[in-house]
Amino acid sequence: MSGLSRAQHLVPAVAVLLLSIVVVWLSYTREPAGAFLFPRLISSVMLLLAIWNAARAALGLARVGSGVSRGELVTVLPGVLVTLVYVLFAAKGLGFYVASFITFIVLYALYDPAPHDRPASWLRRVLVAFGFMLVIYGLFTLLLKVQTPRGAFF
């Protein structure tokens, strides 16, 4: 594996590992402990996978692909920006479910090849987003009893 290719695997692997450490630390240091049971479980699994991924990258075993091309980065960047706005502002400002619904529709519209000038395309996007939010609501609120960010709506 070339040095550049190895760096393209190692740099993101270490970044994800550091992020995982922060998320685990936050989930285990917050109170009330019962409200953070699900985040603790998910963050612990995330940390284990990040350690495994970083070890594979450091040992040169991560041989999938050759990194991210400039074209792929340009394609993904709008979705990353929408997601950052969601995470940093919208989830707390609007509420988890409303912000998630809007974000899902925006991301779907960004990457859906269906025409944006057809009402049928938008109806499908809204219905898929609504179905997705029903699943998320059932999973987080009803099944796992996770506290989601409250905002102006819900």
PDB file of all heavy atoms in Angstrom, residues 55-74:
ATOM      1  N   ALA A  55      -6.689   0.173  14.102  1.00  0.00           N
ATOM      2  CA  ALA A  55      -5.640  -0.842  14.107  1.00  0.00           C
ATOM      3  C   ALA A  55      -5.423  -1.382  12.691  1.00  0.00           C
ATOM      4  O   ALA A  55      -4.270  -1.535  12.246  1.00  0.00           O
ATOM      5  CB  ALA A  55      -6.000  -1.981  15.062  1.00  0.00           C
ATOM      6  N   ARG A  56      -6.500  -1.650  11.975  1.00  0.00           N
ATOM      7  CA  ARG A  56      -6.373  -2.135  10.593  1.00  0.00           C
ATOM      8  C   ARG A  56      -5.681  -1.098   9.710  1.00  0.00           C
ATOM      9  O   ARG A  56      -4.850  -1.438   8.879  1.00  0.00           O
ATOM     10  CB  ARG A  56      -7.746  -2.489  10.018  1.00  0.00           C
ATOM     11  CG  ARG A  56      -8.339  -3.754  10.616  1.00  0.00           C
ATOM     12  CD  ARG A  56      -9.702  -4.101  10.015  1.00  0.00           C
ATOM     13  NE  ARG A  56      -9.754  -4.068   8.571  1.00  0.00           N
ATOM     14  CZ  ARG A  56      -9.363  -5.060   7.769  1.00  0.00           C
ATOM     15  NH1 ARG A  56      -8.872  -6.161   8.295  1.00  0.00           N
ATOM     16  NH2 ARG A  56      -9.460  -4.947   6.456  1.00  0.00           N
ATOM     17  N   ALA A  57      -6.033   0.168   9.899  1.00  0.00           N
ATOM     18  CA  ALA A  57      -5.411   1.226   9.104  1.00  0.00           C
ATOM     19  C   ALA A  57      -3.931   1.372   9.443  1.00  0.00           C
ATOM     20  O   ALA A  57      -3.093   1.523   8.557  1.00  0.00           O
ATOM     21  CB  ALA A  57      -6.144   2.551   9.325  1.00  0.00           C
ATOM     22  N   ALA A  58      -3.594   1.296  10.734  1.00  0.00           N
ATOM     23  CA  ALA A  58      -2.194   1.434  11.159  1.00  0.00           C
ATOM     24  C   ALA A  58      -1.337   0.271  10.672  1.00  0.00           C
ATOM     25  O   ALA A  58      -0.166   0.451  10.340  1.00  0.00           O
ATOM     26  CB  ALA A  58      -2.129   1.545  12.682  1.00  0.00           C
ATOM     27  N   LEU A  59      -1.926  -0.904  10.624  1.00  0.00           N
ATOM     28  CA  LEU A  59      -1.183  -2.089  10.184  1.00  0.00           C
ATOM     29  C   LEU A  59      -1.187  -2.255   8.660  1.00  0.00           C
ATOM     30  O   LEU A  59      -0.578  -3.196   8.140  1.00  0.00           O
ATOM     31  CB  LEU A  59      -1.767  -3.339  10.843  1.00  0.00           C
ATOM     32  CG  LEU A  59      -1.644  -3.399  12.369  1.00  0.00           C
ATOM     33  CD1 LEU A  59      -2.434  -4.578  12.913  1.00  0.00           C
ATOM     34  CD2 LEU A  59      -0.187  -3.452  12.776  1.00  0.00           C
ATOM     35  N   GLY A  60      -1.869  -1.364   7.958  1.00  0.00           N
ATOM     36  CA  GLY A  60      -1.912  -1.450   6.503  1.00  0.00           C
ATOM     37  C   GLY A  60      -2.865  -2.508   5.982  1.00  0.00           C
ATOM     38  O   GLY A  60      -2.744  -2.940   4.839  1.00  0.00           O
ATOM     39  N   LEU A  61      -3.812  -2.941   6.801  1.00  0.00           N
ATOM     40  CA  LEU A  61      -4.755  -3.976   6.396  1.00  0.00           C
ATOM     41  C   LEU A  61      -6.011  -3.409   5.737  1.00  0.00           C
ATOM     42  O   LEU A  61      -6.804  -4.161   5.194  1.00  0.00           O
ATOM     43  CB  LEU A  61      -5.150  -4.825   7.604  1.00  0.00           C
ATOM     44  CG  LEU A  61      -3.995  -5.548   8.303  1.00  0.00           C
ATOM     45  CD1 LEU A  61      -4.488  -6.222   9.570  1.00  0.00           C
ATOM     46  CD2 LEU A  61      -3.359  -6.555   7.360  1.00  0.00           C
ATOM     47  N   ALA A  62      -6.193  -2.103   5.805  1.00  0.00           N
ATOM     48  CA  ALA A  62      -7.377  -1.466   5.213  1.00  0.00           C
ATOM     49  C   ALA A  62      -7.088  -1.235   3.735  1.00  0.00           C
ATOM     50  O   ALA A  62      -6.551  -0.226   3.337  1.00  0.00           O
ATOM     51  CB  ALA A  62      -7.681  -0.149   5.927  1.00  0.00           C
ATOM     52  N   ARG A  63      -7.439  -2.193   2.922  1.00  0.00           N
ATOM     53  CA  ARG A  63      -7.088  -2.133   1.508  1.00  0.00           C
ATOM     54  C   ARG A  63      -8.279  -1.864   0.605  1.00  0.00           C
ATOM     55  O   ARG A  63      -8.196  -2.067  -0.590  1.00  0.00           O
ATOM     56  CB  ARG A  63      -6.432  -3.442   1.087  1.00  0.00           C
ATOM     57  CG  ARG A  63      -5.165  -3.706   1.834  1.00  0.00           C
ATOM     58  CD  ARG A  63      -4.601  -5.054   1.444  1.00  0.00           C
ATOM     59  NE  ARG A  63      -3.578  -5.444   2.386  1.00  0.00           N
ATOM     60  CZ  ARG A  63      -2.290  -5.373   2.132  1.00  0.00           C
ATOM     61  NH1 ARG A  63      -1.863  -4.936   0.994  1.00  0.00           N
ATOM     62  NH2 ARG A  63      -1.419  -5.747   3.042  1.00  0.00           N
ATOM     63  N   VAL A  64      -9.347  -1.406   1.162  1.00  0.00           N
ATOM     64  CA  VAL A  64     -10.538  -1.154   0.368  1.00  0.00           C
ATOM     65  C   VAL A  64     -10.429   0.246  -0.229  1.00  0.00           C
ATOM     66  O   VAL A  64     -10.349   1.227   0.492  1.00  0.00           O
ATOM     67  CB  VAL A  64     -11.820  -1.265   1.229  1.00  0.00           C
ATOM     68  CG1 VAL A  64     -13.034  -0.958   0.402  1.00  0.00           C
ATOM     69  CG2 VAL A  64     -11.899  -2.642   1.844  1.00  0.00           C
ATOM     70  N   GLY A  65     -10.420   0.317  -1.539  1.00  0.00           N
ATOM     71  CA  GLY A  65     -10.402   1.610  -2.213  1.00  0.00           C
ATOM     72  C   GLY A  65      -9.079   2.328  -2.074  1.00  0.00           C
ATOM     73  O   GLY A  65      -8.127   1.840  -1.471  1.00  0.00           O
ATOM     74  N   SER A  66      -9.054   3.499  -2.649  1.00  0.00           N
ATOM     75  CA  SER A  66      -7.835   4.296  -2.612  1.00  0.00           C
ATOM     76  C   SER A  66      -8.086   5.663  -2.007  1.00  0.00           C
ATOM     77  O   SER A  66      -7.375   6.611  -2.283  1.00  0.00           O
ATOM     78  CB  SER A  66      -7.276   4.442  -4.029  1.00  0.00           C
ATOM     79  OG  SER A  66      -8.229   5.090  -4.848  1.00  0.00           O
ATOM     80  N   GLY A  67      -9.112   5.780  -1.230  1.00  0.00           N
ATOM     81  CA  GLY A  67      -9.424   7.057  -0.606  1.00  0.00           C
ATOM     82  C   GLY A  67     -10.568   7.745  -1.322  1.00  0.00           C
ATOM     83  O   GLY A  67     -11.204   7.191  -2.211  1.00  0.00           O
ATOM     84  N   VAL A  68     -10.795   8.975  -0.959  1.00  0.00           N
ATOM     85  CA  VAL A  68     -11.898   9.756  -1.499  1.00  0.00           C
ATOM     86  C   VAL A  68     -11.357  10.712  -2.557  1.00  0.00           C
ATOM     87  O   VAL A  68     -10.441  11.482  -2.283  1.00  0.00           O
ATOM     88  CB  VAL A  68     -12.608  10.543  -0.372  1.00  0.00           C
ATOM     89  CG1 VAL A  68     -13.726  11.399  -0.923  1.00  0.00           C
ATOM     90  CG2 VAL A  68     -13.134   9.599   0.680  1.00  0.00           C
ATOM     91  N   SER A  69     -11.940  10.663  -3.747  1.00  0.00           N
ATOM     92  CA  SER A  69     -11.517  11.571  -4.811  1.00  0.00           C
ATOM     93  C   SER A  69     -12.143  12.943  -4.589  1.00  0.00           C
ATOM     94  O   SER A  69     -13.100  13.098  -3.832  1.00  0.00           O
ATOM     95  CB  SER A  69     -11.926  11.023  -6.172  1.00  0.00           C
ATOM     96  OG  SER A  69     -13.332  11.092  -6.326  1.00  0.00           O
ATOM     97  N   ARG A  70     -11.629  13.930  -5.291  1.00  0.00           N
ATOM     98  CA  ARG A  70     -12.162  15.290  -5.180  1.00  0.00           C
ATOM     99  C   ARG A  70     -13.629  15.326  -5.633  1.00  0.00           C
ATOM    100  O   ARG A  70     -14.459  15.989  -5.029  1.00  0.00           O
ATOM    101  CB  ARG A  70     -11.320  16.250  -6.008  1.00  0.00           C
ATOM    102  CG  ARG A  70     -11.730  17.690  -5.853  1.00  0.00           C
ATOM    103  CD  ARG A  70     -10.821  18.646  -6.613  1.00  0.00           C
ATOM    104  NE  ARG A  70      -9.415  18.502  -6.331  1.00  0.00           N
ATOM    105  CZ  ARG A  70      -8.775  19.078  -5.311  1.00  0.00           C
ATOM    106  NH1 ARG A  70      -9.455  19.831  -4.479  1.00  0.00           N
ATOM    107  NH2 ARG A  70      -7.493  18.904  -5.137  1.00  0.00           N
ATOM    108  N   GLY A  71     -13.957  14.591  -6.685  1.00  0.00           N
ATOM    109  CA  GLY A  71     -15.335  14.548  -7.178  1.00  0.00           C
ATOM    110  C   GLY A  71     -16.290  13.959  -6.152  1.00  0.00           C
ATOM    111  O   GLY A  71     -17.396  14.458  -5.967  1.00  0.00           O
ATOM    112  N   GLU A  72     -15.858  12.885  -5.480  1.00  0.00           N
ATOM    113  CA  GLU A  72     -16.694  12.279  -4.442  1.00  0.00           C
ATOM    114  C   GLU A  72     -16.873  13.232  -3.264  1.00  0.00           C
ATOM    115  O   GLU A  72     -17.960  13.323  -2.693  1.00  0.00           O
ATOM    116  CB  GLU A  72     -16.072  10.975  -3.960  1.00  0.00           C
ATOM    117  CG  GLU A  72     -16.109   9.872  -4.987  1.00  0.00           C
ATOM    118  CD  GLU A  72     -15.276   8.667  -4.607  1.00  0.00           C
ATOM    119  OE1 GLU A  72     -14.224   8.834  -3.944  1.00  0.00           O
ATOM    120  OE2 GLU A  72     -15.669   7.550  -4.971  1.00  0.00           O
ATOM    121  N   LEU A  73     -15.824  13.948  -2.925  1.00  0.00           N
ATOM    122  CA  LEU A  73     -15.905  14.903  -1.823  1.00  0.00           C
ATOM    123  C   LEU A  73     -16.891  16.024  -2.144  1.00  0.00           C
ATOM    124  O   LEU A  73     -17.707  16.406  -1.299  1.00  0.00           O
ATOM    125  CB  LEU A  73     -14.521  15.480  -1.521  1.00  0.00           C
ATOM    126  CG  LEU A  73     -14.417  16.394  -0.318  1.00  0.00           C
ATOM    127  CD1 LEU A  73     -14.814  15.656   0.954  1.00  0.00           C
ATOM    128  CD2 LEU A  73     -13.012  16.941  -0.192  1.00  0.00           C
ATOM    129  N   VAL A  74     -16.846  16.524  -3.374  1.00  0.00           N
ATOM    130  CA  VAL A  74     -17.779  17.574  -3.792  1.00  0.00           C
ATOM    131  C   VAL A  74     -19.218  17.057  -3.779  1.00  0.00           C
ATOM    132  O   VAL A  74     -20.143  17.782  -3.426  1.00  0.00           O
ATOM    133  CB  VAL A  74     -17.384  18.108  -5.192  1.00  0.00           C
ATOM    134  CG1 VAL A  74     -18.467  19.000  -5.782  1.00  0.00           C
ATOM    135  CG2 VAL A  74     -16.065  18.870  -5.106  1.00  0.00           C
TER     136      VAL A  74
END
